[in-house]
Amino acid sequence: MAFPVGHGTSIRYCSEIYGPSRHNDYGSKSFPGVDDAIEVAKKLNTAESWKSVQHEVWRVSRVIRHASLVLHGRLT
């Protein structure tokens, strides 16, 4: 499943697990939302920016957990 990422006119769609990163000029990256959030948090170094990193990690973990449930026939 693809999700919108970015703000304003820079919104693009990518997978939670693998896709383009704004901070990687060499192509796709694993966990692009987490990577982007970490880069922003390192620059801003605010509590809110680090909370955004936690949120992105939560989103990825939710996707992986749901995929596991589907594979085990517990979520349809």
Side-chain angles (χ1 to χ4, degrees):
M1 178 179 279
F3 298 94
V5 293
H7 301 285
T9 59
S10 65
I11 292 178
R12 65 196 190 291
Y13 289 85
C14 70
S15 165
E16 289 293 318
I17 305 301
Y18 189 77
S21 171
R22 282 186 285 171
H23 304 282
N24 178 0
D25 294 336
Y26 298 105
S28 296
K29 185 144 185 99
S30 298
F31 310 113
V34 174
D35 182 62
D36 289 344
I38 289 171
E39 291 300 321
V40 169
K42 285 177 6 185
K43 288 179 185 170
L44 299 177
N45 200 24
T46 63
E48 184 177 334
S49 64
W50 287 107
K51 197 176 225 181
S52 178
V53 172
Q54 289 177 321
H55 179 72
E56 290 300 322
V57 170
W58 172 81
R59 287 178 62 179
V60 170
S61 68
R62 185 183 66 174
V63 168
I64 292 170
R65 185 176 64 249
H66 284 184
S68 174
L69 291 172
V70 167
L71 292 171
H72 287 95
R74 293 188 222 143
L75 183 66
T76 56

